[in-house]
Amino acid sequence: MGRLLSLALAVAALACTHPRELVPGPGAQTAPGRPRTAEETVEGVHVQVDSDAWRSSPVREVLSPVRVTLENGSARALRVSYGQFTLGGPSGFRLAALPPYQVVAQDVAASGAAVPPGFVGQNYFVAPWAARFYRGVAPWYGPFPYDPLYYDRWYGAWPTNLPNDEVLRHALPEGVLQAGGKVSGFLYFKDQPPGTALTFYAALVDGNTGEAFGTVAIPFTVK
């Protein structure tokens, strides 16, 4: 009986294991003591990407969630929008960060409810249209262009039957990070086959002028 129980537990553990995981690739700089967290600093903006932070399922069974932490050591306000974050492959394809708002927009509109934020931010203001999804979060009142084509294009990429509230709560919301600020939350990408070499790109954009002033590039591999 003991052997059968051990075997059943082992099978259950394997069944819960995400078959495809992002790991820092060759040449990536990892955070001390955190081998699954890669980091890079460009123009004073420090970016960390933790590919092992999401612990619950079924999100990791169908997507590749990564926790992105941005520390703005530049003198500029930093715009944060999903179109600025991509995973690029060797053949030139780009996977966009999937916007979570449309997944729950109808539920929120129908109930009028908003989720308590699970992201962490200091001197961070969410995009005007995103504030209604998060309880007690201050919006950005400066310029912030809305790209409906981007949302329409990637809305259909979301898998069905995901825990929508959980996905939204922990997402890195679009917004603006002031100089000296810090924000941390999850971005969600579509899975890729094991062995695929990818590069995480973060375009750095001035939150006031819209000027691009740098690009962060961190190599990853699908394991």
Side-chain angles (χ1 to χ4, degrees):
M1 179 65 70
R3 289 183 179 179
L4 289 176
L5 179 59
S6 297
L7 179 60
L9 291 174
V11 171
L14 288 174
C16 294
T17 301
H18 185 53
R20 289 159 291 193
E21 297 178 326
L22 286 174
V23 298
Q29 177 181 343
T30 57
R34 300 166 61 189
R36 292 286 294 274
T37 300
E39 58 185 3
E40 185 178 349
T41 300
V42 174
E43 298 292 335
V45 178
H46 184 65
V47 179
Q48 285 190 335
V49 182
D50 186 347
S51 60
D52 195 38
W54 190 276
R55 296 299 181 184
S56 62
S57 60
V59 176
R60 288 192 67 178
E61 297 173 4
V62 292
L63 292 174
S64 292
V66 295
R67 183 168 60 197
V68 175
T69 301
L70 306 171
E71 296 183 67
N72 188 6
S74 75
R76 305 168 181 252
L78 180 68
R79 181 183 297 169
V80 178
S81 62
Y82 296 128
Q84 295 169 217
F85 300 97
T86 57
L87 285 177
S91 60
F93 75 89
R94 290 288 182 99
L95 296 172
L98 302 180
Y101 305 132
Q102 286 170 286
V103 176
V104 295
Q106 292 182 345
D107 293 338
V108 172
S111 64
V115 300
F119 67 92
V120 178
Q122 300 170 354
N123 294 327
Y124 189 69
F125 301 89
V126 300
W129 60 86
R132 69 189 181 102
F133 295 110
Y134 297 100
R135 195 177 303 155
V137 176
W140 171 254
Y141 290 107
F144 202 109
Y146 178 75
D147 186 359
L149 295 179
Y150 180 83
Y151 284 86
D152 291 344
R153 178 183 179 187
W154 292 105
Y155 173 67
W158 275 103
T160 59
N161 300 322
L162 285 183
N164 293 341
D165 287 352
E166 183 182 17
V167 166
L168 179 65
R169 181 181 304 114
H170 295 291
L172 175 64
E174 294 185 302
V176 173
L177 183 63
Q178 296 281 40
K182 181 178 180 179
V183 67
S184 183
F186 281 89
L187 296 178
Y188 308 97
F189 294 93
K190 294 181 65 177
D191 270 336
Q192 292 299 295
T196 304
L198 297 168
T199 301
F200 174 88
Y201 292 103
L204 306 180
V205 177
D206 190 300
N208 290 309
T209 67
E211 175 191 2
F213 63 95
T215 301
V216 172
I218 302 176
F220 279 89
T221 301
V222 182
K223 183 178 179 182

